[in-house]
Amino acid sequence: KGISSLPAMEWVFLKIFSSMAESMFGESGGFRQTFYDSPKGIVKFDITDCIYCRLCGCPELIHSFCITDNYCFGSLSKIKFTRIETLETGNKCDFTLSIEK
């Protein structure tokens, strides 16, 4: 919960997260991604190729990598994390983080 629970920090968090995600989950990090234009207060992107899935070869470990996003982003104050599918179970890992109203 921490920093995102402070006044207006949810906006700062989304801005910083969006910028970091573009670089950390980009091709230099072994990923391929698609970012989407979204309304203010929403960050939406898909990971379409993942270094963990390519190199791991162990379904249990791949699942562990995928599920950690729920723990990392699922308990943020004022921010909702939504995921419909992962590369483990589908065609992409979808990330949607939005400011809760």
Side-chain angles (χ1 to χ4, degrees):
K1 299 191 183 221
I3 198 163
S4 66
S5 65
L6 298 173
M9 285 305 292
E10 65 272 23
W11 296 96
V12 174
F13 175 85
L14 281 186
K15 178 116 175 110
I16 292 170
F17 175 77
S18 178
S19 179
M20 286 176 50
E22 286 191 53
S23 61
M24 290 175 51
F25 300 120
E27 290 192 27
S28 65
F31 299 89
R32 198 167 310 125
Q33 58 179 254
T34 302
F35 268 81
Y36 299 98
D37 288 332
S38 301
K40 188 174 181 178
I42 298 175
V43 174
K44 182 170 179 50
F45 66 98
D46 296 333
I47 301 288
T48 56
D49 185 35
C50 168
I51 191 167
Y52 304 128
C53 290
R54 278 196 320 273
L55 299 180
C56 188
C58 176
E60 293 84 5
L61 283 177
I62 293 170
H63 175 76
S64 296
F65 291 126
C66 293
I67 199 79
T68 58
D69 294 331
N70 295 335
Y71 296 107
C72 290
F73 307 118
S75 62
L76 295 168
S77 294
K78 303 179 187 175
I79 297 174
K80 179 181 178 186
F81 172 62
T82 306
R83 163 157 296 149
I84 297 170
E85 68 178 315
T86 65
L87 284 166
E88 171 197 18
T89 61
N91 297 316
K92 63 187 177 193
C93 283
D94 59 322
F95 287 76
T96 302
L97 284 87
S98 56
I99 294 176
E100 291 186 317
K101 302 205 190 279

